[in-house]
Amino acid sequence: MILVVEDEPAVRDMIGMTLEQAGYQWVAAGDVGEARARLAEGRPDLVLLDWMLPGTQSGLDLARQLRREELTRDLPVILLTARDAEDDKIRGLDVGADDYITKPFSPRELVARIKAILRRAGQDEEEAVVTVGGLTLDSASHRVMAGENKVSLGPTEFKLLSFFIRHPDRVYSRDQLLDRVWGSNVYIDDRTVDVHVRRLRKALSPFGCDRLIQTVRGVGYRFSEQE
Ligand code: CA
């Protein structure tokens, strides 16, 4: 799912058509407020963000906010703009945009940039081998080791651990976990999270690693080496 934040209907339609032809699903927002509302509904894979938007906040403001906030820090952002001055380009990348496309752009260029960014984002996730608290998770081979021992996990428990181990020492609510681990547009009860956390702990307990998944009363869960 790609979130397109663009106020000009003609440009938005062109982008939408291009995305559909390339096989991407998309949702649109016309300003920062609408973009916020879409983001609250579910996490997109990427944001195409116009720099100049109506209202008090620009695309640049939103890009900066997304980078500051925990849940959207690693969300890929491509800035769209009519400006092409070099210092603007630098400013855009400064706020944390992953790429920058100057209008007018061709559909082909747009798709090529999106593919490149998504590939990069995907690789970062998949190739990483992460070790925390005696647990090693390898996304490429889909393997989890506790020291020398193989830990066998179901697919959802693997995804859950994969998210936790990459985002340690932060508390996530059940809703946030549903959004980040199960993905947007899933309509499942947030007690599902508890079920899978319980299974994950059970799988980790023979190795004494279940203590890493901590319950924060009234808030949610945290993955941490500290007690
Ligand atoms: Ca605009």
Side-chain angles (χ1 to χ4, degrees):
M1 180 69 70
I2 295 178
L3 171 60
V4 179
V5 191
E6 166 65 72
D7 57 308
E8 287 160 74
V11 180
R12 195 160 63 200
D13 291 349
M14 184 279 257
I15 293 173
M17 220 158 63
T18 303
L19 293 178
E20 279 167 26
Q21 278 167 3
Y24 295 111
Q25 290 185 300
W26 64 292
V27 284
D31 58 33
V32 171
E34 274 180 37
R36 285 262 160 213
R38 295 290 91 77
L39 286 163
E41 288 164 6
R43 180 185 161 91
D45 301 308
L46 184 143
V47 184
L48 280 177
L49 180 56
D50 187 28
W51 185 316
M52 301 297 281
L53 293 169
T56 50
Q57 293 193 301
S58 69
L60 214 55
D61 293 327
L62 180 59
R64 202 174 287 125
Q65 292 162 17
L66 293 177
R67 282 299 165 266
R68 279 204 205 117
E69 290 164 24
E70 213 72 84
L71 289 174
T72 53
R73 186 165 290 166
D74 53 357
L75 184 60
V77 174
I78 299 179
L79 271 178
L80 304 175
T81 182
R83 305 172 181 217
D84 60 356
E86 203 60 38
D87 63 327
D88 280 349
K89 197 168 285 190
I90 290 161
R91 263 213 299 162
L93 296 173
D94 256 4
V95 299
D98 298 273
D99 203 354
Y100 190 101
I101 305 180
T102 306
K103 292 178 189 172
F105 50 84
S106 70
R108 210 210 308 212
E109 181 186 5
L110 178 66
V111 171
R113 300 283 193 96
I114 290 173
K115 276 189 180 156
I117 297 287
L118 287 178
R119 198 159 49 226
R120 205 196 296 165
Q123 275 172 358
D124 287 350
E125 284 276 303
E126 282 159 21
E127 283 177 6
V129 176
V130 194
T131 301
V132 178
L135 275 182
T136 301
L137 183 135
D138 183 343
S139 297
S141 64
H142 230 259
R143 193 172 291 160
V144 177
M145 303 291 287
E148 300 290 298
N149 306 295
K150 189 173 177 296
V151 183
S152 85
L153 296 176
T156 304
E157 286 72 55
F158 182 87
K159 277 169 77 178
L160 190 58
L161 179 62
S162 183
F163 175 76
F164 273 138
I165 206 166
R166 289 193 172 85
H167 303 85
D169 300 312
R170 297 178 207 166
V171 184
Y172 290 95
S173 70
R174 289 166 180 79
D175 275 344
Q176 287 171 331
L177 288 170
L178 275 180
D179 194 32
R180 296 295 299 269
V181 178
W182 277 259
S184 47
N185 303 321
V186 271
Y187 301 99
I188 40 178
D189 198 285
D190 60 6
R191 270 169 298 186
T192 305
V193 175
D194 300 333
V195 172
H196 289 281
V197 165
R198 207 176 305 137
R199 285 189 197 157
L200 179 57
R201 278 183 175 143
K202 202 175 163 201
L204 296 176
S205 69
F207 315 103
C209 293
D210 50 323
R211 63 178 178 89
L212 296 169
I213 317 252
Q214 303 166 356
T215 303
V216 182
R217 248 170 242 295
V219 190
Y221 295 103
R222 172 179 56 212
F223 183 91
S224 179
E225 283 187 86
Q226 288 141 36
E227 296 300 322

